[in-house]
Amino acid sequence: MFAALLGVRSKPPLNAWVPLVQCRGASSSSCLERDLFSQVERIEGYQQFIESKSLKCHLLELPYELNYEEITNKITQFLLANEELDSVFFSTNFLTLGGLKAINKLGGKYTQMGLVSFDDHLLYDVLTPAITAVKQPVKQIASSIINHLLEMLNAPADTAIEPQTIVFPVELMVRQSSLKR
């Protein structure tokens, strides 16, 4: 059996950032991301959108190895160093949670920032404000990966299984965090 790369692509459409710019009138947005293979297209989408609106790109790239407290501290430092920011896009749930902790710790104007997270979370719609998120079809992704793994396991030992690229649609869940407050 030959190894196959299993990868999931779910590039958010360029309009994933529209709520931050149009609804809030955001003028200075940032993107916080972890150094992961899955982040590349999310960051490219963010950068393309920022460029299309002639905005300045503020990107905080965090190493994967950082723990929750380290992430929270880095985000706090980033926000303090970029006081002109009025909105933030988090490329993962984990970063969003660290960002929310940093924002709550900083208080004041930071609690009014526009927020969008890639990956919806079951608590995002009960928080105040509810967090706008790019939702992935998690069950469909898991099912596809499992089916591909089963195909690989059931194939004869000398059969190469071709890597598959599957692009899953995402859904933008617009909530209060990206609306004018």
Side-chain angles (χ1 to χ4, degrees):
M1 181 186 304
F2 295 91
L5 173 65
L6 293 178
V8 175
R9 291 180 59 199
S10 46
K11 183 175 184 176
L14 287 181
N15 69 357
W17 296 273
V18 168
L20 287 178
V21 176
Q22 290 182 337
C23 299
R24 292 187 53 86
S27 60
S28 186
S29 181
S30 67
C31 179
L32 284 64
E33 63 103 3
R34 293 184 87 179
D35 187 18
L36 296 169
F37 171 76
S38 63
Q39 306 301 296
V40 173
E41 289 184 332
R42 297 175 192 182
I43 304 316
E44 286 174 355
Y46 166 80
Q47 290 172 323
Q48 288 171 6
F49 180 78
I50 293 301
E51 186 177 301
S52 75
K53 298 297 179 188
S54 300
L55 299 173
K56 183 179 176 189
C57 183
H58 298 270
L59 184 62
L60 174 63
E61 298 178 80
L62 298 170
Y64 180 75
E65 298 77 27
L66 296 182
N67 65 37
Y68 180 68
E69 287 304 318
E70 292 169 322
I71 285 173
T72 301
N73 290 335
K74 294 280 187 190
I75 293 171
T76 300
Q77 293 167 9
F78 179 78
L79 293 175
L80 289 171
N82 294 281
E83 289 189 8
E84 72 278 10
L85 295 177
D86 54 15
S87 59
V88 181
F89 170 74
F90 298 98
S91 66
T92 69
N93 276 331
F94 195 62
L95 291 177
T96 304
L97 296 175
L100 290 172
K101 184 174 180 178
I103 288 167
N104 285 333
K105 184 169 77 172
L106 290 170
K109 70 174 186 167
Y110 297 97
T111 62
Q112 299 303 308
M113 294 182 85
L115 304 174
V116 173
S117 176
F118 196 96
D119 289 336
D120 202 8
H121 188 283
L122 97 112
L123 294 177
Y124 285 175
D125 63 345
V126 297
L127 293 173
T128 303
I131 308 298
T132 296
V134 178
K135 183 179 181 179
Q136 297 186 89
V138 176
K139 288 180 183 177
Q140 186 182 358
I141 292 168
S143 177
S144 294
I145 290 171
I146 290 168
N147 287 336
H148 192 69
L149 285 172
L150 289 172
E151 180 184 338
M152 289 171 54
L153 289 171
N154 292 327
D158 61 346
T159 303
I161 304 293
E162 292 297 317
Q164 293 182 2
T165 299
I166 304 170
V167 179
F168 294 93
V170 294
E171 182 180 358
L172 183 61
M173 309 298 291
V174 178
R175 299 185 181 117
Q176 292 171 313
S177 71
S178 62
L179 303 176
K180 277 193 175 180
R181 290 182 257 155

